Amino acid sequence: MIRKREHFGSRFAVIAAMAGSAVGLGNIWRFPFILGEYGGAAFILVYIAACVVLALPIFYAESIIGRAARTDTFGAMSKLAPGTPWRWAGLLTVVSPLLILCYYSVVGGWSVEYLFKSLSFSFTDIPAEEVPHFFGRFISSPWQPVFTHTAFMAAVAFIVLGGVNKGIEKFSKLAMPALFVLILVIVGYSLTLPGAMKGVEYLVKPDFSRLTADAYAAALGQAFFSLSLGVGTILTYSSYVKKEENLLVSGVGTAVSDLLFAIIAAFAVIPAVFASGLHPGAGPGLVFETLPYIFNKMGEGVPVLTTLVSSIFFVAILAAALTSAISMLEVGVAFLTDERGMKRRTATLLLAFLCWVVGVLCSLSFGSLSEVKFLGLSIFDFLDHLCSDWLLPLGGLIFTTFVGWKMSKASVREEFTNGGTVNTRLFGVIYFLMRYVAPVGILVVFATNLLL
Ligand code: PHE
């Protein structure tokens, strides 16, 4: 059965949807605390290099496969390399974003909770020192995080049900510019705090002596996570990109917006951390424990200010998390509708339900299921490590190897240059990066993960 495939309506829509997938908790929650752990400005430089030399080629590899095949990851591999085991590699990248969604939705739920806490003045009614304890109490409570996880997952399913044009595209177009403005407001606020300049210095004055060997691996892993690479998301979105679209431009557009968001988020978070005398290397709790504390301090005596700033911040996080989460679900939905002929509605509800169930287990692993361990890790930590340390780099390796070594150079050139009309001069460099540099880089990440 040949069905007409939906397309993104414009170049802006393509970049907005892809950047919507890329910009998420990875930028606002993960990037500030990772760079806080690995030395500020110097880490940012390594991160930028990792994005350009390694992540961007993988981004192009996914774009080329997706647009050439015009179908989901599994179908794309079967179509471009029929009768080979490559399709099973494609299947892996259908499963991994769904696995990420299970726990990502839990963290999305935390943002829902923190938004409600902000709106109900919970961060202002108590002494600042009490605020960080909210987090531990909240995530270990038996039903509250499950409830907010449910709300988050329901929102994701609702948007994906709308289909490409009505749902994802419409939502991304609205959320991305709004998010940009929201974070800038926080940066402006953060920079006015006394002591904030120390944080700015930390972000702009590189201290290379702080760069350890694992900082490079951390930068690469962050680039994968942040650009949604290795999980078929960019591949699937690219299957909705028109043939006339310039892949080079949409890739650079997405990478630049993702980087910009990460750096702006760092400028929103780190100066505020310094201004409050806290430590930038506070770890994953940085946003959920430290910022409400900082917001409380900032608005001492003016509860409305605290509420306003923290609400704006958590709305921003929520919007970013939603646009990322819908892209994770879309990969699986595209697979079931394209490969199995399932109705979009059935596929969406089925997958959202399955991810919800696993997500409930992840959520409970902070409380009643905290004793259940896999390889010494809680369910939540196990899934997180499995995905970011292994599945994303593995997926990236599969895609670059496929483009660099399985597809013919002529067909890769045809797709990347739109039949020889654009990017012809840059093709050689990009192809070299896809064929040699990116696979070796990923193997280095694997090696460091194994050895460190
Ligand atoms: N890039 C997203 C973020 O930064 C996370 C993500 C990973 C989204 C993989 C889709 C696929 O939060």
Side-chain angles (χ1 to χ4, degrees), residues 21-27 100 104 225-228 231 233 324 327-328:
S21 160
V23 176
L25 295 169
N27 307 61
I100 300 179
Y104 202 87
F225 191 89
S226 194
L227 273 168
S228 313
V231 290
T233 301
S324 298
S327 75
M328 296 174 200

Side-chain angles (χ1 to χ4, degrees), residues 111-355:
S111 318
V112 173
E113 174 71 18
Y114 271 61
L115 175 60
F116 280 111
K117 275 196 177 16
S118 306
L119 291 172
S120 59
F121 288 77
S122 303
F123 298 136
T124 58
D125 290 351
I126 53 165
E129 291 64 36
E130 282 286 304
V131 175
H133 300 309
F134 260 133
F135 188 66
R137 275 204 299 273
F138 164 65
I139 56 167
S140 59
S141 108
W143 63 270
Q144 244 176 313
V146 171
F147 178 73
T148 52
H149 155 61
T150 309
F152 185 85
M153 190 67 90
V156 173
F158 182 76
I159 298 165
V160 173
L161 268 182
V164 174
N165 291 94
K166 283 193 238 84
I168 297 171
E169 187 171 333
K170 217 170 170 179
F171 190 77
S172 301
K173 268 182 171 170
L174 210 95
M176 296 318 293
L179 178 61
F180 194 72
V181 175
L182 282 172
I183 299 192
L184 281 180
V185 170
I186 311 247
V187 172
Y189 192 86
S190 189
L191 292 181
T192 61
L193 295 169
M197 282 311 132
K198 258 200 198 153
V200 174
E201 206 171 284
Y202 182 79
L203 292 173
V204 298
K205 258 199 185 158
D207 174 4
F208 289 99
S209 66
R210 301 185 50 147
L211 274 186
T212 50
D214 53 343
Y216 294 92
L220 296 183
Q222 174 64 21
F224 268 105
F225 191 89
S226 194
L227 273 168
S228 313
L229 293 173
V231 290
T233 301
I234 298 302
L235 191 158
T236 304
Y237 272 25
S238 300
S239 74
Y240 303 124
V241 171
K242 286 182 184 153
K243 284 285 176 202
E244 311 81 72
E245 202 58 62
N246 188 332
L247 292 183
L248 184 83
V249 175
S250 50
V252 170
T254 306
V256 168
S257 3
D258 188 63
L259 193 63
L260 215 61
F261 265 102
I263 289 174
I264 292 174
F267 273 90
V269 175
I270 301 288
V273 170
F274 272 83
S276 317
L278 290 158
H279 196 265
L286 201 67
V287 165
F288 291 99
E289 289 177 312
T290 317
L291 280 184
Y293 168 85
I294 292 164
F295 293 148
N296 176 301
K297 282 277 192 203
M298 285 175 189
E300 252 165 12
V302 199
V304 177
L305 195 62
T306 298
T307 301
L308 195 72
V309 176
S310 57
S311 304
I312 289 174
F313 195 82
F314 286 108
V315 164
I317 287 202
L318 199 54
L322 270 176
T323 47
S324 298
I326 55 182
S327 75
M328 296 174 200
L329 187 56
E330 178 62 21
V331 175
V333 169
F335 169 69
L336 288 183
T337 50
D338 288 350
E339 294 309 313
R340 299 262 144 251
M342 205 181 259
K343 283 206 181 93
R344 187 170 184 88
R345 192 184 167 79
T346 320
T348 306
L349 294 178
L350 176 75
L351 293 177
F353 176 72
L354 291 176
C355 293

Side-chain angles (χ1 to χ4, degrees), residues 428-442:
V429 182
I430 303 278
Y431 191 70
F432 179 78
L433 291 173
M434 288 191 295
R435 190 167 152 94
Y436 300 105
V437 180
V440 171
I442 295 163

